[in-house]
Amino acid sequence: MTICVQGRACSLGAVIDGEMRLSEQGEIVAGCWAAITDHFPKVVLDASVIMPNHLHGIVFLSDSQISAGRPTLAKITGDFKSASARRINAQHGTAGSFWQRGYYEHIVRNEHSLARLQTYIAENPQRWAMDQLYRDSVNET
């Protein structure tokens, strides 16, 4: 999944020499992402990366979880976005939306696709200058 900051503001940190350096807001996001499994113990988090204005992450949900009435990806994502936004707003004395509405999701159907996405996520900071979300953030300033 991909989740973008409101207005694609680069508030989660900066890419320096091909490595992502998290800001205070980025650290909050990282903590809330890791805490997903505390709130949803049957969810498995795989590769993830926090970028300056978005987050990429792979979340595993089994068919049995979904059919058994377990939380959906939308519920998990909504809770993550809400918790991280509340903490960021509280820390910075702000109010309102931190994340854009919605998110992008993609169902991983096989091991080849999973490996490709894991590589994409791991290498994302090195490709930041070529990333569409980077170009959009530069063009909007």
Side-chain angles (χ1 to χ4, degrees):
M1 83 170 63
T2 300
I3 305 170
C4 294
V5 174
Q6 184 72 28
R8 296 189 178 160
C10 291
S11 57
L12 301 177
V15 175
I16 300 170
D17 296 327
E19 290 186 25
M20 184 60 195
R21 307 292 165 94
L22 297 178
S23 65
E24 288 180 13
Q25 292 174 339
E27 293 289 347
I28 292 170
V29 168
C32 289
W33 182 259
I36 287 173
T37 57
D38 295 339
H39 303 282
F40 302 100
K42 297 194 184 245
V43 168
V44 176
L45 299 177
D46 194 66
S48 66
V49 64
I50 297 169
M51 297 298 292
N53 62 4
H54 66 282
L55 172 143
H56 293 294
I58 298 173
V59 178
F60 288 115
L61 301 174
S62 69
D63 289 338
S64 63
Q65 285 177 274
I66 295 167
S67 63
R70 304 273 191 229
T72 63
L73 185 59
K75 168 73 170 144
I76 294 163
T77 304
D79 284 6
F80 160 75
K81 288 169 69 174
S82 178
S84 57
R86 276 195 313 273
R87 289 184 184 160
I88 289 168
N89 284 335
Q91 182 181 37
H92 294 279
T94 56
S97 298
F98 180 78
W99 299 105
Q100 286 184 356
R101 289 187 60 165
Y103 59 95
Y104 174 78
E105 66 180 63
H106 171 79
I107 297 173
V108 179
R109 302 204 182 270
N110 57 52
E111 291 295 323
H112 174 73
S113 180
L114 176 61
R116 185 178 52 78
L117 288 170
Q118 290 167 327
T119 299
Y120 175 85
I121 288 170
E123 295 175 353
N124 206 246
Q126 292 89 22
R127 291 189 315 277
W128 175 236
M130 299 175 290
D131 193 303
Q132 180 65 42
L133 295 175
Y134 168 77
R135 291 194 304 268
D136 289 349
S137 69
V138 171
N139 292 332
E140 292 174 3
T141 57

